[in-house]
Amino acid sequence: MMNCIIFAVLLAAIGGCYVWLGVKKNERASRIRATQIEIANLNRQIAAATQHLEKKLDRTALEERVAKAGLDLKPIPIGPRGGRLVKLPEPVIPSEALSPGNRNLATALHP
């Protein structure tokens, strides 16, 4: 009689574990599906934004917009010998300029 009760309790515990694992498996599968759907939506948004930017940056469309606006823009020569970018120095704001005697960075950041 005792063996039957122990067997029934063990069988119920194993069944409960299978049910619990099944629920966890379904929850995880639904989270994975939701994440995949979210990734697909983000990829669609990225593709739409890329297409929109490509339309905005299309050379012929930009030239038409410049001509329509009447801007007097000159093309910048691009190439190995045509043009080059030059980094300009940072502007100095008079209120933030350091005095000649005070060149400590910590003092300049936190007076």
Side-chain angles (χ1 to χ4, degrees):
M1 174 78 174
M2 189 63 148
N3 288 341
C4 291
I5 294 173
I6 293 174
F7 179 73
V9 169
L10 286 175
L11 190 61
I14 291 171
C17 287
Y18 274 112
V19 169
W20 182 75
L21 287 174
V23 169
K24 290 295 181 182
K25 179 184 170 189
N26 290 338
E27 288 175 359
R28 184 170 183 221
S30 66
R31 281 196 322 251
I32 290 172
R33 268 187 256 117
T35 304
Q36 288 174 341
I37 291 170
E38 188 175 338
I39 289 171
N41 288 337
L42 289 174
N43 285 336
R44 276 186 242 133
Q45 289 176 359
I46 289 171
T50 303
Q51 185 179 16
H52 179 71
L53 286 175
E54 286 175 356
K55 285 182 183 177
K56 289 279 189 183
L57 296 176
D58 184 30
R59 185 173 180 88
T60 56
L62 284 174
E63 289 173 354
E64 290 173 7
R65 288 173 59 196
V66 167
K68 187 176 181 182
L71 301 174
D72 186 27
L73 298 179
K74 297 177 185 174
I76 299 173
I78 299 173
R81 296 188 181 257
R84 64 179 189 176
L85 296 176
V86 178
K87 184 176 179 182
L88 298 175
E90 293 290 327
V92 176
I93 301 172
S95 64
E96 295 180 359
L98 294 174
S99 62
N102 189 3
R103 300 230 181 240
N104 187 357
L105 181 62
T107 307
L109 294 178
H110 302 288

